[in-house]
């Protein structure tokens, strides 16, 4: 099975948790896209009704709109029944790295207000520790003096051999700009950064930082699709 087929299997399994009348957080990324497509399909078939979607990005907003999923926002729905979203990494304690798609701020705001947060991944996302994939742990920062903030972030994790890189948009070679008008610094760790809560708090104490991509103690349910089948973990 391809990675995308595994993502689709995990996404469809998560949609089994969706009931008519729910207010849903709609995630961002290629795995969440499958879940949103499935919700749209079930609405079309009349198998789901009275769903309100709270999108975590403009791209998800557009996808949901095109599927006829009624949309709203946190101002009107400060408590959600369920959110479904992918992740870039999942550690053994169900802590996540998210944000390689650039939507971490709105994802964290919305997924922090849900009674149930279902994370959907293919097995390639499982890591021994956050940063263990050697891929980015994103931090959303204000554009003002971004080099200063990037250096502060790199210094915070010097012991972990941290490398901090400004995310560049592949479309135009300029700094990537989030839906919120901010920049992203991608942090790369060469070893385990240890206490995630302490690391996250230290990151947030930097004045130029808006939010980081570690979602600690937030996921309530994890669905992993692998070659041997689908596993559902209840946190
Ligand atoms: O950017 C994000 O937070 C995405 O949800 C990401 O974590 C998962 O993206 P994928 O489903 O395309 O792998």
């Amino acid at each position: 099975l391809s990675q995308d087929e595994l993502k689709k299997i995990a996404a469809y399994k998560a949609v089994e948790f969706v009931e008519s009348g729910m207010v849903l957080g709609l995630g961002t990324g290629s795995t969440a896209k499958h879940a949103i497509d499935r919700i749209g399909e079930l609405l079309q078939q009349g198998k789901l009704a009275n769903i309100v979607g709270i999108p975590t990005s403009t791209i998800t907003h557009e996808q949901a709109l095109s599927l006829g999923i009624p949309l709203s926002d946190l101002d009107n729905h400060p408590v959600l029944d369920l959110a479904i979203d992918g992740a870039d990494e999942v550690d053994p304690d169900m802590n996540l790295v998210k944000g390689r798609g650039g939507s971490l701020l709105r994802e964290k705001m919305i997924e922090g207000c849900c009674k149930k947060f279902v994370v959907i991944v293919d097995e390639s996302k499982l890591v021994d520790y956050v940063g263990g994939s050697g891929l980015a742990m994103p931090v959303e920062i204000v554009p003002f003096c971004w080099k200063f903030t990037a250096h502060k972030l790199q210094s915070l994790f010097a012991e972990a051999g941290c490398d901090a890189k400004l995310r560049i948009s592949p479309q135009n070679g300029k700094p990537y700009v989030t839906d919120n008008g901010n920049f992203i610094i991608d942090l790369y760790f060469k070893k385990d950064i240890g206490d995630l809560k302490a690391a996250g708090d230290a990151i947030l104490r930097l004045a130029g930082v808006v939010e980081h991509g570690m979602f600690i103690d937030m996921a309530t349910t994890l669905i992993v699709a692998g070659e041997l089948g689908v596993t559902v973990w209840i946190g």
Side-chain angles (χ1 to χ4, degrees), residues 9-68:
I9 290 167
Y12 277 44
K13 188 71 185 170
V15 174
E16 293 176 16
F17 286 100
V18 178
E19 294 165 14
S20 291
M22 277 189 166
V23 179
L24 297 176
L26 303 177
T28 297
S30 59
T31 313
K33 182 182 178 301
H34 285 306
I36 296 163
D37 281 341
R38 179 65 174 156
I39 291 165
E41 184 182 30
L42 294 174
L43 280 170
Q44 282 292 336
Q45 294 170 355
K47 292 176 181 168
L48 274 178
N50 305 320
I51 294 289
V52 174
I54 315 291
T56 55
S57 64
T58 50
I59 194 164
T60 289
H61 183 105
E62 284 152 26
Q63 178 195 2
L65 220 51
S66 72
L67 292 163

Side-chain angles (χ1 to χ4, degrees), residues 3 7 27-33 56 85-89 97-104 107 111 120-122 125 138 167 213 215:
Q3 184 182 25
K7 289 181 175 185
T28 297
S30 59
T31 313
K33 182 182 178 301
T56 55
D85 202 355
D88 297 298
E89 290 184 5
V97 169
K98 285 179 58 53
R100 287 184 204 145
S103 312
L104 67 107
E107 289 172 338
E111 288 149 16
I120 48 179
V121 294
D122 67 277
K125 305 298 186 70
R167 186 175 297 185
F215 286 44

Side-chain angles (χ1 to χ4, degrees), residues 51-167:
I51 294 289
V52 174
I54 315 291
T56 55
S57 64
T58 50
I59 194 164
T60 289
H61 183 105
E62 284 152 26
Q63 178 195 2
L65 220 51
S66 72
L67 292 163
I69 299 173
L71 297 177
S72 187
D73 59 25
L74 283 183
D75 290 342
N76 292 289
H77 295 278
V79 177
L80 285 67
D81 296 299
L82 171 69
I84 298 175
D85 202 355
D88 297 298
E89 290 184 5
V90 184
D91 82 359
D93 298 319
M94 282 173 70
N95 296 310
L96 316 175
V97 169
K98 285 179 58 53
R100 287 184 204 145
S103 312
L104 67 107
L105 177 63
R106 296 189 184 188
E107 289 172 338
K108 193 174 272 191
M109 286 179 71
I110 287 159
E111 288 149 16
C113 306
C114 300
K115 294 170 190 164
K116 185 183 283 198
F117 174 24
V118 180
V119 175
I120 48 179
V121 294
D122 67 277
E123 59 190 355
S124 74
K125 305 298 186 70
L126 302 181
V127 296
D128 294 334
Y129 58 86
V130 158
S133 69
L135 300 172
M137 198 294 277
V139 181
E140 182 156 342
I141 68 166
V142 296
F144 173 73
C145 289
W146 66 266
K147 287 179 189 155
F148 170 80
T149 304
H151 179 70
K152 286 284 186 186
L153 285 165
Q154 188 158 314
S155 307
L156 266 185
F157 301 104
E159 285 175 28
C162 178
D163 193 17
K165 290 188 180 141
L166 177 69
R167 186 175 297 185

